[in-house]
Amino acid sequence: MVKRAFPFFCFFLLLFTNFLSSHVRPPLLFSPDSLERKPILGVGEPDPARKESFPTYWGGSSLTQEDKQIQGVKVTYFTLEGGAWIQHKKVKLSASKIEVLGKDAYKAFLKNGVEVDDQENGTTLRAGSGDYDKYAEIVVIKERPRMFFKDKSGKTTVISAQLIERQLSTKITKLTGGVVISHPDVTILCKEALFQESENLITTDPNPFLVSKDRYLTGEKLSFYTNDNRILLEQNTVLFQTSYEKRQSENEEETTEKVITILKGDRLESSSDEKGERIVTLKGNSTVLRKHLKITADILQSVGTDSHTIRGKNNIKIEDRENRLILYGNVLDYFRKEEYMHITDDGKMEFLDSKTGAVTTTMTAQEFERFLDKGETVIRGNVLIKAKGSQAMGEYATYVEEEEIIYLEGNPRMDRAGKILRAGKILFYPREGRAILTEGVHLGN
């Protein structure tokens, strides 16, 4: 009985061996949630021919396997479907369908619903398709690719482009073609950009455009520091700010006026202060143009998304073309909504001839306060008025633009050829260089 069964057993064993040799056993599939980090035979095993090799884990709900000739080389080709995924070190790649080359997954093609999740860096990429290269450690995503990341304040930035290439080892992302960087505070448009996550820095190709609410910025070189939401523009920087301001006419009717403020400089830096307000700082040939005003300084600063406050420091020059005035100083505070301007530290005001533009009178003091809505300037502290052939001194003065008269008070006096004339008040006409002394005029030192 045993002798009869032995030939049958041998025949069965032969059939079973032939069956195994004609069918390659597919690798085991694992869920990424329950995955144990250890090499699994037949599942993303490392390439022993490479010195710096590492295993790549992958799986899905279903798998098909076949051998293909690719460029004359026989390659095992796997197709994963239904929640397909690849685990590259700490980065997970997923898609509806993934085609994998080789058991060590040295290349893969991701199709439909592609997602690259880098949890360690808080970065996610999504697209319609993608190409993965294990040993180059690169994934390239296409078909409406987008990149999502959060800064330390929790704000999410979304970047889109025609092509996004992610270097998985260096965490550097290259963005090519129609790049749009959408941050809650600003949108940046450019052709190409580079995101270096280790430095929290995005740089762009020359002359990008920046758009936010009622704002437009441009410059030759841009650096966006994502972690602290700081933007640095260099070389020929320009900012256009649109504001809508209420005006009251003589018949008490209130109207809304559209006003454009232009800020220019060699270097522009945009950041947020501790209150969350946007601060724009200009350095190098810094200029603010607003209606009939031109303000220049070594450093100019715009506060708020609507530029409600403009500050200046060092070598300040304010040209009022409408009223033919120039003010100088080293410290400026300009509150736009209140239409109030304060200038101190070597303050000076020059009055210009309406026809020639020549300086007719110069006035210096410790501080100047301009009330633009009233058309008045209040001057305080060691006021000195110089005109051709005469000069006047006092403690404070008021210049009324409509009347073109300086009212000098506080021990006012005039010096004419060494003779001191005193009065209770002096009315000085800066365009004409003449003065009227009133209220107890007398001669004496």
Side-chain angles (χ1 to χ4, degrees):
M1 184 69 180
V2 175
K3 290 182 179 180
R4 291 179 181 178
F6 183 76
F8 176 78
F9 176 77
C10 293
F11 178 73
F12 176 79
L13 183 60
L14 180 62
L15 286 175
F16 184 73
T17 304
N18 290 336
F19 174 81
L20 288 178
S21 62
S22 61
H23 292 78
V24 179
R25 184 176 63 180
L28 300 174
L29 303 180
F30 294 86
S31 165
D33 298 325
S34 61
L35 181 66
E36 292 184 8
R37 297 292 184 256
K38 60 181 181 179
I40 305 297
L41 183 62
V43 180
E45 59 192 12
D47 185 350
R50 294 181 178 267
K51 292 181 179 180
E52 297 182 0
S53 184
F54 53 89
T56 301
Y57 303 92
W58 43 271
S61 298
S62 65
L63 177 146
T64 58
Q65 174 182 327
E66 59 182 313
D67 292 334
K68 288 187 176 183
Q69 292 284 335
I70 299 178
Q71 296 180 350
V73 179
K74 184 179 178 180
V75 177
T76 305
Y77 196 91
F78 302 97
T79 301
L80 299 164
E81 294 185 273
W85 56 272
I86 294 176
Q87 190 74 31
H88 178 99
K89 296 180 179 178
K90 295 183 180 181
V91 179
K92 180 188 172 186
L93 296 81
S94 59
S96 298
K97 180 180 179 180
I98 300 179
E99 297 172 351
V100 177
L101 298 184
K103 285 191 291 184
D104 63 337
Y106 67 89
K107 283 189 185 297
F109 306 100
L110 299 87
K111 299 180 180 180
N112 302 325
V114 176
E115 183 169 307
V116 181
D117 188 10
D118 189 342
Q119 294 182 355
E120 187 178 36
N121 294 277
T123 302
T124 302
L125 293 89
R126 297 190 180 103
S129 65
D131 300 333
Y132 163 69
D133 189 319
K134 170 180 177 176
Y135 293 111
E137 297 198 65
I138 289 175
V139 60
V140 178
I141 58 173
K142 300 165 281 188
E143 298 181 28
R144 296 187 66 247
R146 289 160 295 158
M147 181 177 187
F148 304 80
F149 64 90
K150 288 185 178 181
D151 59 25
K152 65 180 181 181
S153 67
K155 293 182 178 179
T156 299
T157 297
V158 182
I159 305 177
S160 62
Q162 294 177 5
L163 193 73
I164 297 179
E165 178 185 306
R166 172 91 168 165
Q167 297 177 11
L168 302 176
S169 60
T170 62
K171 312 303 179 187
I172 293 176
T173 304
K174 296 180 181 179
L175 304 113
T176 307
V179 179
V180 180
I181 303 169
S182 300
H183 184 273
D185 295 336
V186 67
T187 298
I188 302 171
L189 310 173
C190 58
K191 294 179 181 178
E192 296 180 356
L194 186 70
F195 182 22
Q196 302 174 70
E197 285 186 47
S198 61
E199 300 180 25
N200 299 304
L201 173 63
I202 296 176
T203 54
T204 69
D205 61 326
N207 301 310
F209 300 105
L210 292 84
V211 181
S212 61
K213 185 180 178 181
D214 298 324
R215 271 191 172 186
Y216 162 84
L217 300 86
T218 187
E220 291 187 16
K221 182 181 177 182
L222 179 141
S223 301
F224 178 21
Y225 295 88
T226 59
N227 210 30
D228 53 5
N229 189 17
R230 182 167 58 94
I231 297 172
L232 177 62
L233 274 169
E234 297 178 272
Q235 301 176 22
N236 300 321
T237 62
V238 181
L239 183 154
F240 295 88
Q241 170 73 54
T242 302
S243 58
Y244 298 88
E245 302 169 9
K246 292 182 180 180
R247 291 285 182 270
Q248 202 164 20
S249 60
E250 294 179 356
N251 55 7
E252 301 299 321
E253 288 186 6
E254 193 173 72
T255 59
T256 302
E257 179 185 8
K258 181 179 179 180
V259 179
I260 296 176
T261 302
I262 301 174
L263 296 90
K264 303 191 300 180
D266 294 337
R267 188 174 188 268
L268 182 151
E269 182 175 334
S270 177
S271 59
S272 297
D273 63 10
E274 62 278 0
K275 296 180 181 179
E277 276 205 297
R278 178 60 54 179
I279 306 294
V280 174
T281 304
L282 292 162
K283 295 181 180 180
N285 297 311
S286 307
T287 305
V288 173
L289 300 171
R290 174 180 165 80
K291 297 173 71 173
H292 57 275
L293 295 177
K294 179 182 178 181
I295 305 172
T296 59
D298 289 351
I299 300 173
L300 284 172
Q301 197 173 69
S302 167
V303 182
T305 55
D306 60 350
S307 297
H308 61 74
T309 303
I310 295 173
R311 301 190 181 107
K313 188 175 181 181
N314 300 335
N315 298 313
I316 297 162
K317 182 180 180 181
I318 305 167
E319 299 178 58
D320 185 340
R321 293 181 292 272
E322 185 176 67
N323 295 288
R324 303 184 303 282
L325 299 171
I326 301 178
L327 285 92
Y328 301 87
N330 286 303
V331 178
L332 165 69
D333 290 293
Y334 175 24
F335 300 93
R336 181 184 58 77
K337 293 180 181 179
E338 293 78 5
E339 296 197 74
Y340 171 77
M341 189 179 288
H342 186 233
I343 304 101
T344 59
D345 195 0
D346 291 334
K348 181 174 70 171
M349 177 183 282
E350 292 180 343
F351 298 85
L352 308 180
D353 184 89
S354 59
K355 295 181 180 179
T356 64
V359 177
T360 58
T361 297
T362 300
M363 180 163 50
T364 60
Q366 292 179 357
E367 64 175 330
F368 290 78
E369 290 183 284
R370 290 203 71 194
F371 300 88
L372 299 171
D373 56 337
K374 298 179 181 179
E376 293 183 0
T377 302
V378 176
I379 307 97
R380 294 188 180 90
N382 299 323
V383 179
L384 174 61
I385 303 171
K386 288 185 177 182
K388 188 177 181 180
S390 64
Q391 64 180 26
M393 292 80 72
E395 292 303 317
Y396 57 91
T398 302
Y399 173 61
V400 180
E401 294 169 4
E402 187 177 0
E403 300 175 3
E404 295 194 346
I405 297 175
I406 299 172
Y407 294 88
L408 183 62
E409 299 176 88
N411 188 27
R413 55 205 182 275
M414 287 198 68
D415 184 347
R416 286 192 174 180
K419 294 182 179 181
I420 303 298
L421 296 174
R422 296 181 180 273
K425 180 185 295 186
I426 297 177
L427 280 60
F428 200 95
Y429 296 82
R431 311 287 179 197
E432 305 169 25
R434 66 185 180 91
I436 298 176
L437 286 74
T438 63
E439 301 178 10
V441 180
H442 63 279
L443 181 64
N445 293 326

